[in-house]
Amino acid sequence: MGRPGYVTVPILSVLAAIGYVYYTAVFLAIPAWLGLTTAAGLTNAAAFTALAAACVATYAVAVLRDPGRVPASFVPDVEDAGSPLHEIKRKGGDLRYCQKCSHYKPPRAHHCRVCKRCVLRMDHHCIWINNCVGHGNYKIFLIFVLYAVIACLYSMVLIIGGAMHLPKDEQLGSDSPRTSIIVCGVLLCPLALALMVLLGWHVYLILHNKTTIEYHEGVRAMWLAEKAGNLYHHPYNLGVYENLISVLGPNMFCWLCPISRNIGSGVRFRTSYDIPLSKAPM
């Protein structure tokens, strides 16, 4: 396993997959179906090229951008009336302190054993980007997955169209367009399904303002609360619209923009305790 920021086999695999799908769609499927010299062929080639470039660019940013470091000077202020929520250890009731990093953990921060440091609003460590997905790069990671899903569906349409318009008397071989198109189509089916499931999962998390870690912790907390006869409420769930704003930003027109920055410092987050009771999310 490579260190964060280093090029690894999974990263090379992702880039190779993007390159292979791009070559098959633009230089094999489109010429067989529409022709690269026609207006329709050139338009589709240009559109798919732009989409592939967006995938590569957002992927590179997700790989290279720091997911969020805990400031060395961070110390939780337990007397701060503006911070009604302080995460504590499950046992002992003490404020969370990372023995490996030798500093307190802000709310929603967790220590990554691979990156060997605490990450702000950590969602998970992703081997495909050799980096953590956290406060600093969560949105760009989500945008990359969205672009990748669109690219997979678009390329499948092009490949199906190209396969249907190939000469029927063409012999299958390792260097034949038909073979490359069929292989690419077979690879795209599970890839598109996996990416759509991943995108759907993170859309669910965003709508509830949770991370993957918080979801699993919430399942246990809900079970313990029900066992004690209480109701569990995720403290960072502010309602659908506020949840979207807290992750994607206040400008709706920039929600899918890959160049906008993350929101806030990642050290403190709004909670349902900050909202008046009359406006609290259901």
Side-chain angles (χ1 to χ4, degrees), residues 68 70 87 90 96 98 101 103 105-113 115-124 132 211-214 217:
V70 178
E87 294 185 357
R90 294 177 181 176
R96 298 191 309 146
C98 182
C101 296
H103 59 58
K105 295 180 185 179
R108 314 184 83 176
H110 296 273
H111 185 87
C112 176
R113 291 175 294 179
C115 296
K116 294 180 171 46
R117 64 186 177 92
C118 289
V119 176
L120 296 175
R121 196 187 179 275
M122 179 178 173
D123 187 90
H124 68 286
C132 275
T211 64
T212 300
I213 295 176
E214 288 170 350
E217 290 180 341

Side-chain angles (χ1 to χ4, degrees), residues 74-87 95 107 236 267-271 273-274:
F74 172 77
V75 176
D77 185 1
V78 296
E79 297 181 355
D80 182 9
S83 300
L85 181 69
H86 297 281
E87 294 185 357
L95 291 172
Y236 299 103
V267 174
R268 192 198 187 289
F269 296 89
R270 288 183 63 201
T271 69
Y273 300 105
D274 302 324

Side-chain angles (χ1 to χ4, degrees), residues 11-44:
I11 290 178
L12 294 176
S13 300
V14 171
L15 295 176
I18 294 175
Y20 179 66
V21 172
Y22 175 78
Y23 170 79
T24 305
V26 174
F27 295 103
L28 297 180
I30 292 179
W33 183 15
L34 304 170
L36 275 177
T37 58
T38 64
L42 287 174
T43 300
N44 279 277

Side-chain angles (χ1 to χ4, degrees), residues 168-236:
K168 295 183 179 180
D169 57 350
E170 181 183 348
Q171 298 295 323
L172 290 177
S174 59
D175 58 345
S176 70
R178 182 182 294 275
T179 301
S180 297
I181 288 176
I182 292 176
V183 170
C184 188
V186 170
L187 293 176
L188 273 174
C189 290
L191 178 61
L193 179 61
L195 287 172
M196 285 190 290
V197 171
L198 180 63
L199 178 62
W201 168 247
H202 282 284
V203 168
Y204 166 82
L205 292 178
I206 289 176
L207 293 177
H208 293 81
N209 204 354
K210 294 181 180 181
T211 64
T212 300
I213 295 176
E214 288 170 350
Y215 170 81
H216 293 292
E217 290 180 341
V219 171
R220 182 178 183 275
M222 185 179 299
W223 177 77
L224 292 175
E226 292 179 352
K227 189 177 180 180
N230 300 320
L231 292 176
Y232 171 77
H233 171 70
H234 181 58
Y236 299 103

